[in-house]
Amino acid sequence: MIRSATPEDVPVIARLIRALAEYEKLSHQAILKEEDLKRHLFGERPHAEVVLAEEAGTVVGFALFFHTYSTFLARPSLYLEDLFVLPERRGGGHGKALLSHLARLAVERGCGRFEWSVLDWNAPAIAFYESVGAVPLSDWTVFRLTGEALTRLAGST
């Protein structure tokens, strides 16, 4: 079963995010605070949405997503920031159910695209995404500003 997350789900969402960070060997970057997560997901101006995969009443996975905008299409896009299913629950169709749910939302919301990134080394995820018809974009490079570089650019004129 796939359902939208509620504010009461924040602790389980935080646990799943930390489990994802551990899986991706990025635990040192998972510095999230539950109160920030709650404010950004369920506050006055939500920045993202979460859907949860449940099996027998237990949350086994999640997808966190938000809208971007395609200027070339002049339509919104759905961007999947994170999709994670607990390792011991993989192979049960939860990942595909989460992706299918988001694809339906993208279609219902008039989105022209549904996009996400995957780590180059994550061969199981890449194979899974290709199995549902997704194609890698080899002609784009992701750039990121954080920390001091972000602050420095923000202060420049």
Side-chain angles (χ1 to χ4, degrees):
M1 179 179 105
I2 306 298
R3 67 171 176 85
S4 295
T6 67
E8 292 74 30
D9 293 312
V10 168
V12 75
I13 295 167
R15 281 195 302 277
L16 289 166
I17 291 170
R18 289 184 182 102
L20 169 63
E22 183 177 325
Y23 174 77
E24 291 182 341
K25 301 169 183 67
L26 296 171
S27 293
H28 61 285
Q29 292 183 20
I31 58 171
L32 67 130
K33 296 177 185 166
E34 288 184 20
E35 58 268 18
D36 291 337
L37 195 57
K38 187 173 186 175
R39 183 175 71 250
H40 294 145
L41 294 176
F42 304 105
E44 185 176 323
R45 184 175 181 260
H47 295 283
E49 299 174 61
V50 172
V51 292
L52 301 170
E54 287 187 336
E55 183 178 301
T58 301
V59 175
V60 299
F62 82 107
L64 186 145
F65 63 99
F66 52 88
H67 287 93
T68 61
Y69 193 79
S70 169
T71 53
F72 287 5
L73 298 177
R75 294 173 66 189
S77 297
L78 199 71
Y79 188 84
L80 173 61
E81 178 66 20
D82 288 318
L83 183 141
F84 181 73
V85 174
L86 294 169
E88 64 272 16
R89 301 300 187 111
R90 293 186 185 152
H94 303 296
K96 186 170 184 182
L98 286 164
L99 275 182
S100 295
H101 181 84
L102 294 182
R104 277 191 298 279
L105 283 179
V107 170
E108 289 168 7
R109 295 176 182 187
C111 295
R113 295 179 179 155
F114 176 25
E115 298 180 313
W116 59 90
S117 298
V118 62
L119 291 166
D120 293 340
W121 60 260
N122 196 343
I126 292 168
F128 168 62
Y129 296 143
E130 288 176 339
S131 78
V132 299
V135 294
L137 300 178
S138 59
D139 51 346
W140 291 88
T141 300
V142 176
F143 281 84
R144 178 177 292 162
L145 274 174
T146 63
E148 168 114 8
L150 176 60
T151 304
R152 186 173 50 252
L153 182 59
S156 67
T157 55

